[in-house]
Amino acid sequence: MTHKQPNRELEAMAADLAEACEGLSPLESALLIAQGMREVYGGEWTIEAHGDDTFSILRKT
């Protein structure tokens, strides 16, 4: 099994995003993460709310 080398730039961005989400509501965090996904991967993203105050961020196809 091959292991992919970690992408340091993406890891740094993820750490920054986690720090930026501290203290935000789950919805505010989901919005911020979706914005980051658009910046990194482009395209359109949608946020799906769940009844337990969690959210999924999905790429629109």
Side-chain angles (χ1 to χ4, degrees):
M1 185 162 129
T2 345
H3 292 281
K4 190 175 183 181
Q5 289 290 0
N7 183 323
R8 303 286 184 220
E9 185 177 341
L10 286 179
E11 286 178 355
M13 288 174 70
D16 290 344
L17 189 56
E19 185 177 327
C21 287
E22 284 183 25
L24 297 180
S25 72
L27 177 57
E28 291 170 319
S29 294
L31 291 169
L32 187 60
I33 292 167
Q35 178 184 348
M37 298 296 278
R38 280 191 300 273
E39 290 174 11
V40 172
Y41 299 107
E44 292 187 45
W45 298 80
T46 186
I47 298 171
E48 183 179 282
H50 305 287
D52 60 355
D53 285 337
T54 62
F55 297 87
S56 296
I57 301 168
L58 308 165
R59 176 175 239 151
K60 283 187 172 182
T61 55

